[in-house]
Amino acid sequence: DDMTIRNIMKSVYRVLQPSRPFIFFSQSSPEFILRRTLGKSMMCREGMWKDVSVVNLVDYNMLMYKFVKISDEERSELDNDKENDRKKNCCDI
């Protein structure tokens, strides 16, 4: 189920070193897999993954999914950008 898959992804994120990839293979389409791994909010946008890519391995009839964990420095920059945007939007009345 979707929650089990998202819990697995959160566990992978928790133990994966920053800037390191997590790779898995599936025959399921990106529309199916990405919605289940990232959820509707797409954790990539929330600063968990700096890169999510899908490679079609035609000879094997398989897709390779690669998630790269955001580094601490990139996460800090993203948090600062979000805070600056929030302050800007708050004052633009």
Side-chain angles (χ1 to χ4, degrees):
D1 86 16
D2 291 358
M3 281 309 297
T4 301
I5 293 170
R6 280 190 216 116
N7 286 337
I8 290 169
M9 292 301 291
K10 287 178 183 178
S11 294
V12 166
Y13 178 83
R14 187 179 67 249
V15 299
L16 192 64
Q17 294 293 317
S19 298
R20 303 303 296 177
F22 167 62
I23 297 173
F24 66 92
F25 301 89
S26 177
Q27 291 181 322
S28 297
S29 70
E31 295 82 12
F32 177 83
I33 290 291
L34 295 177
R35 186 174 63 245
R36 281 159 181 77
T37 55
L38 298 175
K40 291 179 184 174
S41 64
M42 301 298 259
M43 288 186 270
C44 186
R45 291 187 210 141
E46 294 177 7
M48 293 181 76
W49 307 104
K50 72 175 178 180
D51 181 45
V52 176
S53 57
V54 181
V55 177
N56 188 0
L57 306 172
V58 178
D59 292 344
Y60 300 100
N61 192 30
M62 187 77 53
L63 296 168
M64 180 184 77
Y65 293 85
K66 180 175 128 180
F67 293 73
V68 180
K69 183 176 179 177
I70 195 166
S71 71
D72 295 337
E73 295 82 22
E74 292 165 322
R75 178 84 184 237
S76 180
E77 287 176 19
L78 185 63
D79 290 343
N80 287 339
D81 289 346
K82 285 181 183 178
E83 180 63 20
N84 289 338
D85 287 346
R86 187 190 64 75
K87 287 179 182 176
K88 180 182 172 190
N89 291 335
C90 176
C91 298
D92 289 343
I93 298 178

